[in-house]
Structure formats: C-alpha cells, structure tokens
C-alpha cells in the first residue's frame, strides 16, 4: 500500500487495462474478467493494531482499500479474501517472513488448481 492506495505505476496499468466493454460492462452482460479469481494482497509498514477503528489510522485495511473491492466487483471477479502482511517497515523475523511466503505461495498454487 502506498499512501492508502496503489502505486502510481499500478494505477496507470489499471486505467489502461480495466476498460469498458472488456473489463466491465454497463448493460449487465458478462465482462472478459467475469468469474475469474482476484485477490488484493497488501503489505503495510506498521503493525496490524494501527489498522483498527481505534488505531492510529482509525480504519481497517478493508475500509481504506474499499475502492479495490468496488473495482473488482464492477469487473465481475470472484473476489477472494484479502491477503495482509503487517509490520514490513520494521523488519519481520525470518520465521514470520517464511510463514507469510509459504501461505502466499499456497494461495497462488490454489489458483492454478
């Protein structure tokens, strides 16, 4: 996450690829992305407790990135649960990093199945 959104380069990609008639439709017909699995995977520099209504950011990651859920829904994706990795700016232990990498790898492998 970059200032509570995507990076500028990723936003540019989104603007060029998610086009009317291909990525989404306005007449209710199926888009080319309809039914395909999509997941938002995000890293946050600070610990998870910052991303609660009571925390420093006063919001969850799901709330802050609600625009992505709306975009994926518009494109008719099969939206999977968000993948979140917190505390990356402060250094994760080798064990925590290995666990996160294993879980993410398993998720990606499940998409290929």
């Amino acid at each position: 996450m970059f200032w509570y959104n995507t990076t500028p380069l990723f936003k540019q990609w989104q603007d060029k690829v998610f086009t009317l008639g291909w990525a989404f439709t306005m007449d209710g017909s199926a888009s080319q992305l309809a039914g395909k699995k999509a997941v938002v995977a995000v890293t946050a520099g600070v610990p998870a407790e910052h991303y609660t209504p009571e925390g420093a950011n006063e919001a969850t990651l799901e709330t802050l990135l609600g625009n992505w859920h709306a975009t994926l829904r518009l494109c008719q994706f099969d939206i999977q649960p968000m993948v979140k990795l917190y505390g990356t700016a402060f250094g994760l232990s080798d064990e925590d990093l290995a666990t996160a990498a294993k879980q993410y790898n398993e998720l990606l492998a499940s998409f290929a199945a």
Side-chain angles (χ1 to χ4, degrees):
M1 189 164 61
F2 183 79
W3 288 107
Y4 308 108
N5 211 324
T6 60
T7 63
L9 184 59
F10 192 69
K11 177 65 169 96
Q12 181 182 19
W13 175 87
Q14 177 187 355
D15 291 344
K16 290 189 179 293
V17 173
F18 287 179
T19 58
L20 176 62
W22 185 81
F24 67 97
T25 65
M26 300 309 290
D27 63 5
S29 62
S31 74
Q32 295 298 310
L33 301 174
K36 296 188 184 326
K37 291 183 181 180
V39 63
V40 174
V42 63
T43 59
V46 296
E49 55 267 17
H50 285 247
Y51 291 98
T52 66
E54 301 79 25
N57 291 308
E58 299 182 354
T60 64
L61 282 176
E62 289 82 0
T63 299
L64 292 169
L65 297 176
N67 58 326
W68 265 102
H69 186 80
T71 298
L72 296 175
R73 189 177 60 248
L74 175 67
C75 295
Q76 305 169 0
F77 278 103
D78 175 10
I79 303 169
Q80 304 299 299
M82 185 182 287
V83 174
K84 302 169 269 194
L85 182 59
Y86 297 99
T88 58
F90 299 100
L92 298 172
S93 70
D94 289 343
E95 182 179 338
D96 287 344
L97 188 57
T99 299
K102 182 177 184 276
Q103 291 171 343
Y104 192 62
N105 201 17
E106 290 170 355
L107 173 71
L108 295 177
S110 76
F111 286 176

